[in-house]
Amino acid sequence: MKNMSNVQSINFRGRPRAGKDPIVDLPAPDLTHSKSIMRALQSRRSTREFSARTMSAQHLSNLLWAASGVNRPATDGRTTPSAHDWKEILVFVSRADGLFLYEPLVHALRRKSDHDLRAATGMQSFVADAPLNLIYVADFAAMTDAADDERILFSAADAGFIAQSVYLYCASAGLATVVRGMIDRAALGRAMALPSNQRIILAQSVGHRSSMV
């Protein structure tokens, strides 16, 4: 039997239930995956063809924890670096059943919309069919004491770190992914009801590989 002793090794904070947006629970991330980082780097690639197969809750949990999860609970330290420890990148999840915001401190999703916004997350046709599209949004209000050009520079770098962590998890788990910059940011921002101090940086499609790949 697979040793699952490390699955619950991270103690997340109590899950807040207040607010109008409901929480969707995620299973604890499985930290027992053993593929080496060198093998994951060897397998890393961009894929633009996805099967219709949905992603399991465990894959989604692992993926989001790799993207921006808490790996040092005592300090709220994240799996990916952030300039000045601003933690300004918000990770949104767009699926057929709606739009969600990942909340790292409680490792859960907060539902933001019931609408399928996948087609709006990019300008390429495959984004509407990918089972999962991650949207990386910079919250400039979190970047205190930063000039405008620094906000753009650092948030782009921080989103890139997250995208690479997603790439490595996908490579290690046999999933397909591609990071994307071709986005109608104004239209998607309106669809997501983002405030004026938040800016879409990148999107990333994730799913199982098509049988043709």
Side-chain angles (χ1 to χ4, degrees):
M1 180 178 293
K2 183 179 180 182
N3 179 11
M4 300 294 285
S5 61
N6 290 331
V7 173
Q8 301 286 351
S9 63
I10 295 178
N11 296 316
F12 297 102
R13 291 179 176 180
R15 189 165 285 112
R17 297 289 174 176
K20 63 184 180 63
D21 301 318
I23 282 284
V24 178
D25 291 326
L26 292 168
D30 181 356
L31 308 185
T32 64
H33 193 74
S34 60
K35 189 170 185 177
S36 75
I37 186 65
M38 299 305 285
R39 292 296 298 275
L41 286 166
Q42 183 182 42
S43 302
R44 194 218 63 81
R45 60 181 293 190
S46 292
T47 303
R48 294 171 177 81
E49 295 182 11
F50 301 89
S51 77
R53 180 182 169 192
T54 58
M55 186 178 301
S56 71
Q58 190 63 66
H59 268 319
L60 179 60
S61 170
N62 295 351
L63 180 77
L64 292 173
W65 186 82
S68 188
V70 174
N71 64 359
R72 288 152 291 158
T75 60
D76 295 337
R78 303 292 174 82
T79 57
T80 47
S82 172
H84 296 270
D85 201 31
W86 281 318
K87 302 183 180 73
E88 82 283 3
I89 301 299
L90 308 176
V91 179
F92 286 85
V93 176
S94 178
R95 305 189 303 192
D97 60 339
L99 179 72
F100 306 82
L101 174 64
Y102 176 54
E103 296 196 347
L105 295 182
V106 294
H107 192 62
L109 293 174
R110 187 173 291 276
R111 182 179 289 276
K112 306 302 291 185
S113 171
D114 293 329
H115 298 294
D116 183 356
L117 302 181
R118 289 177 297 166
T121 67
M123 298 180 179
Q124 296 148 299
S125 60
F126 66 82
V127 304
D129 300 320
L132 179 70
N133 286 291
L134 303 177
I135 308 160
Y136 305 138
V137 174
D139 181 5
F140 286 168
M143 305 177 78
T144 55
D145 301 321
D148 289 344
D149 60 336
E150 291 177 325
R151 290 188 175 97
I152 294 170
L153 174 66
F154 288 130
S155 64
D158 291 345
F161 297 139
I162 292 173
Q164 180 69 334
S165 281
V166 170
Y167 263 110
L168 292 176
Y169 175 73
C170 289
S172 71
L175 296 173
T177 188
V178 61
V179 69
R180 302 180 283 98
M182 293 177 59
I183 307 164
D184 185 336
R185 288 172 173 80
L188 180 56
R190 289 192 296 270
M192 295 173 66
L194 294 180
S196 60
N197 63 334
Q198 293 182 1
R199 177 177 295 184
I200 296 165
I201 306 298
L202 294 169
Q204 190 164 9
S205 299
V206 183
H208 292 276
R209 288 191 177 95
S210 166
S211 59
M212 300 180 64
V213 177

